Amino acid sequence: MIELAGMAAAAALTAWLMRRKVRQRADNAAQGSAIRVPCLIKHPSHDARWLRGRMLTTPTAVVWEPRTKAGAGVALPADLRPVGVRSPSRREAWRINGRSGIVECGSAEGTVLVAVMPNELDHVLTALNSAGAVEQPDGSRPREEPGCPGARSVSGRAPKEAGTHTGPAS
């Protein structure tokens, strides 16, 4: 019985600490401060591997900070742009959290996938949609281009264009 009470107390403490960290990140992002968002990326150079790390997002730049040696040689492509948001497939859910959202990003190097928890998804999308957001390891920045108009919203639905009809023909 004591073990059960101890596990319940540990679970409550963990949940409180996680909610506190999420709230701190949201407050810092609202103030325009730099935040580190825990995420996983799947880079074209590492086909079958999800690499753990954090995405350092500021109002003007996005930098990948790897957490493992495997991700140390990986940098985000300079022309990275979000093209969609989706849920993980059943196969992907074995390796990553099934509740996470996957931001599909296009680049000249190929498709880069960024898996992030739903409460952090808005921070990542906002940072990736900003023009010229990806900073390179040497500190250089790509030339500015307009954001991706086809990027999906946090809800996962593409924005409707004026004058389009998606219902049955009447």
Side-chain angles (χ1 to χ4, degrees):
M1 189 61 148
I2 293 174
E3 294 88 8
L4 191 58
M7 286 192 296
L13 178 65
T14 302
W16 177 75
L17 289 172
M18 290 179 74
R19 280 193 306 266
R20 182 173 152 233
K21 193 67 172 171
V22 167
R23 196 172 31 244
Q24 284 176 347
R25 265 191 226 114
D27 291 344
N28 287 343
Q31 294 172 1
S33 300
I35 59 171
R36 285 182 171 79
V37 179
C39 61
L40 297 148
I41 67 165
K42 192 179 231 185
H43 197 273
S45 63
H46 289 67
D47 286 333
R49 283 187 87 167
W50 284 96
L51 304 169
R52 291 184 308 142
R54 294 174 191 254
M55 199 166 281
L56 174 64
T57 62
T58 66
T60 59
V62 175
V63 180
W64 167 250
E65 296 177 341
R67 301 262 325 224
T68 61
K69 288 181 183 178
V74 176
L76 294 175
D79 60 344
L80 194 66
R81 65 200 177 285
V83 294
V85 176
R86 64 178 176 85
S87 297
S89 66
R90 287 185 186 239
R91 184 175 182 181
E92 289 171 330
W94 280 98
R95 296 198 181 259
I96 64 173
N97 191 325
R99 294 185 315 135
S100 63
I102 298 177
V103 180
E104 294 179 349
C105 300
S107 73
E109 294 179 30
T111 302
V112 177
L113 303 177
V114 180
V116 62
M117 292 306 291
N119 52 358
E120 310 289 355
L121 190 59
D122 195 32
H123 303 307
V124 172
L125 282 174
T126 302
L128 289 174
N129 277 324
S130 62
V134 179
E135 188 171 298
Q136 298 305 304
D138 62 358
S140 65
R141 308 228 0 239
R143 62 185 173 87
E144 292 190 14
E145 294 182 14
C148 177
R152 295 180 181 267
S153 66
V154 175
S155 66
R157 296 188 183 127
K160 286 188 177 181
E161 294 182 25
T164 59
H165 180 69
T166 58
S170 45

